[in-house]
Amino acid sequence: MTEYWFARRFPVGHPRNAMSPINERGWNVVRRFIAWMVGSAIVAAIIALVGIFWLPYVWIATPFIFIAAAMYAGWTFILAAQSRGDHQHTVDDYKTGRVK
């Protein structure tokens, strides 16, 4: 049996298909996504400052670095939510104990 990390936020049949974490492993995926986003912003800012003050034109790489890191973080987040997500039950079902 697959251990689910995410569950639907809305009931089956609702037009929105959003997923939300239901256990610690799901929250770890969310934390990793946030860490990638913040880390890539910090790295991009550092490279921009180096490019502005020391090495001309290096700052041009900063948006590409941030975009690449954001794409990787988003891809891993969506992949985890889709592969480890319970598409039949909602977060409320897990909170109330109807699903274990």
Side-chain angles (χ1 to χ4, degrees):
M1 180 177 158
T2 302
E3 177 188 4
Y4 293 116
W5 300 352
F6 296 87
R8 295 177 60 93
R9 290 182 56 210
F10 303 101
V12 175
H14 194 277
R16 295 196 54 191
N17 194 20
M19 304 289 274
S20 182
I22 56 172
N23 60 21
E24 190 59 34
R25 289 187 178 165
W27 284 108
N28 286 339
V29 172
V30 172
R31 287 185 202 104
R32 190 175 337 127
F33 172 77
I34 293 170
W36 267 95
M37 295 303 291
V38 170
S40 63
I42 291 170
V43 168
I46 290 170
I47 291 174
L49 290 174
V50 167
I52 291 171
F53 292 113
W54 292 289
L55 300 171
Y57 302 109
V58 172
W59 59 269
I60 295 171
T62 57
F64 299 108
I65 291 169
F66 182 76
I67 289 169
M71 287 174 58
Y72 174 76
W75 177 72
T76 57
F77 183 84
I78 291 170
L79 184 66
Q82 290 299 314
S83 65
R84 293 294 190 152
D86 186 351
H87 300 280
Q88 302 300 320
H89 299 97
T90 64
V91 174
D92 291 335
D93 292 338
Y94 281 91
K95 285 183 181 178
T96 59
R98 288 181 276 200
V99 179
K100 293 184 184 208

